[in-house]
Amino acid sequence: RFSNPALYEVMRIIPLTLRITHYTRAPAAWPGRPTIHVSGDWHSASAPPELARVRGTVEMAASGDVRWTLVSFREDGVGEWASEGVQLGGRGSAMGVIGMWTGADHERRDPLGPRISSFANA
């Protein structure tokens, strides 16, 4: 699957403007570290730039990593892109998040495979 010559990797820095919308119960393994729900927007790198709305969560993974799950939405409200990532440097770090973006519908040919988020069609 990944040896297909038509498949290639792309690295991009995607600046996001996010705000906290609410918190939900902390995972049992991390009391005092609730799941943070965020929403905001990002500007695409296309010309002309397009604005996309983003929703997601930030939570502690069992491994102790900070896990980011984000979904971007088209103007009609349908999920377009989904991301899973891990915060570099751990809690409180400003180094950013490294992860993978894939289609929000997680079609069979998408890199992350089956659906990872309940936000895509919310």
Side-chain angles (χ1 to χ4, degrees):
R1 171 175 169 179
F2 293 105
S3 61
N4 182 338
L7 181 67
Y8 60 94
E9 294 182 47
V10 176
M11 294 180 70
R12 291 202 168 82
I13 295 174
I14 302 174
L16 299 166
T17 302
L18 299 173
R19 66 187 165 284
I20 297 171
T21 60
H22 64 284
Y23 300 89
T24 53
R25 182 185 305 258
W30 294 97
R33 300 279 178 205
T35 297
I36 303 169
H37 296 258
V38 296
S39 68
D41 53 57
W42 70 314
H43 292 276
S44 72
S46 64
E50 297 177 18
L51 178 68
R53 300 290 177 212
V54 179
R55 283 198 313 245
T57 58
V58 181
E59 61 190 343
M60 297 298 295
S63 63
D65 294 315
V66 180
R67 176 182 178 199
W68 289 71
T69 302
L70 299 170
V71 175
S72 71
F73 295 86
R74 299 187 315 230
E75 286 184 23
D76 61 7
V78 174
E80 184 171 23
W81 298 103
S83 175
E84 288 286 331
V86 175
Q87 185 166 316
L88 298 171
R91 292 187 327 246
S93 172
M95 291 181 65
V97 175
I98 189 167
M100 178 181 253
W101 284 92
T102 188
D105 288 333
H106 298 290
E107 296 172 355
R108 184 173 178 82
R109 61 183 167 77
D110 285 341
L112 292 182
R115 183 170 311 283
I116 57 172
S117 173
S118 59
F119 296 109
N121 295 311

